[in-house]
Amino acid sequence: SSWNLLFQAMEREISAAFNSGGPEDILSTAFKLSVTREDICTLKPQGWLNDKIMNFYMSLLVERSKKEGCPAVYAFNTFFYSKLSSTSHKGVKKWTKGVDIFEHDVILVPIHLTIHWTLLVIDLREKAIKYFDSLGQRGDHVCKTVLKYLEEESREKRNIELTASEWTLHSMGTEEIPQQDNGSDCGVFACKFADFISRDKPIIFTSEHMPYFRKKMVWEIIHQQLL
């Protein structure tokens, strides 16, 4: 069938992205990012996703959100939270120059904890901050740090005081979200949490989908479009 042919063509493309050429070859350029073969190879089975891949994928989610019927999405890059947690609002004030983050529905904050990726999501419609960790660790302190950031950002950029007591902070439990069953899929989980949330879709995938998601992400990054 035509589906089969399409699938085979995609498989060939993914295989070529991994295997034909040097590590420095640039396979995709957009969002002021250049993704090399070496970056793409972190999407091989058991690979650890790097900042380039995470940031490129988050940018694709933001692009998609500009279409009709999608929530308005803003994504911080992967260096934002570590800078914020080590310096406070002052250290990241310039990151939102010319942007009012409060005009969005959903803000994605990918977080790199030394050797583990997680995702924090700010839902401005619900006044909720949720923390998604595919290893089930709690991120209450992360939620609090980001709420404090929002308060300061709102005060500084809009001259509006946020009422902290109106906000709910929640670390998603292991019974609420799927969990990884290996030591390498955290980045893919964080990306897919972001993908589903940015479409207001329930999170229904499992660790079994990871090999497929990795391949799909290779294709999406090379073509700069989400399937």
Side-chain angles (χ1 to χ4, degrees):
S1 71
S2 57
W3 267 118
N4 241 346
L5 288 171
L6 186 69
F7 193 68
Q8 284 168 0
M10 285 174 75
E11 285 279 355
R12 279 197 300 277
E13 251 185 296
I14 293 159
S15 174
F18 285 150
N19 303 314
S20 34
E24 293 85 30
D25 295 350
I26 291 171
L27 302 188
S28 193
T29 307
F31 321 115
K32 299 182 182 161
L33 290 168
S34 292
V35 175
T36 64
R37 191 179 315 282
E38 189 173 8
D39 298 323
I40 282 286
C41 281
T42 66
L43 282 161
K44 281 183 174 178
Q46 272 86 57
W48 292 44
L49 271 55
N50 66 11
D51 291 286
K52 256 319 174 50
I53 295 294
M54 298 294 289
N55 288 323
F56 203 97
Y57 192 78
M58 295 293 156
S59 300
L60 286 174
L61 297 178
V62 170
E63 277 304 301
R64 179 179 65 195
S65 81
K66 294 170 186 171
K67 294 188 175 140
E68 296 277 315
C70 287
V73 175
Y74 183 81
F76 280 107
N77 85 22
T78 52
F79 304 105
F80 169 78
Y81 181 77
S82 55
K83 182 78 174 161
L84 170 67
S85 58
S86 63
T87 63
S88 83
H89 182 266
K90 274 200 298 291
V92 291
K93 205 165 67 174
K94 294 203 178 88
W95 292 46
T96 50
K97 199 166 179 265
V99 179
D100 182 356
I101 58 172
F102 298 97
E103 284 175 357
H104 297 79
D105 298 317
V106 174
I107 300 171
L108 305 170
V109 188
I111 293 176
H112 195 218
L113 305 166
T114 350
I115 52 164
H116 182 50
W117 289 109
T118 64
L119 179 75
L120 181 132
V121 177
I122 303 161
D123 191 325
L124 289 158
R125 301 163 298 183
E126 291 177 13
K127 295 190 176 172
I129 298 176
K130 292 178 181 171
Y131 184 73
F132 294 76
D133 186 339
S134 54
L135 284 178
Q137 296 159 353
R138 297 186 64 82
D140 304 355
H141 63 293
V142 183
C143 294
K144 284 180 188 143
T145 302
V146 170
L147 178 58
K148 189 162 185 284
Y149 164 81
L150 288 177
E151 290 179 78
E152 291 174 9
E153 181 79 355
S154 180
R155 194 176 298 135
E156 190 130 324
K157 295 278 172 77
R158 309 187 299 167
N159 224 354
I160 296 173
E161 290 291 331
L162 281 196
T163 311
S165 59
E166 291 175 357
W167 284 72
T168 34
L169 313 186
H170 179 61
S171 290
M172 304 297 278
T174 50
E175 69 296 334
E176 294 176 278
I177 54 168
Q179 300 288 295
Q180 65 191 89
D181 58 6
N182 61 23
S184 52
D185 278 340
C186 54
V188 187
F189 269 90
C191 286
K192 296 319 282 189
F193 288 146
D195 171 23
F196 279 65
I197 290 157
S198 62
R199 289 179 289 151
D200 281 335
K201 293 285 185 247
I203 293 168
I204 48 169
F205 60 84
T206 70
S207 60
E208 285 166 20
H209 294 96
M210 292 300 130
Y212 163 69
F213 283 157
R214 282 175 176 272
K215 286 182 180 175
K216 186 165 168 256
M217 285 173 71
V218 172
W219 192 94
E220 290 171 329
I221 288 168
I222 290 172
H223 289 270
Q224 299 162 20
Q225 71 179 69
L226 295 167
L227 287 168

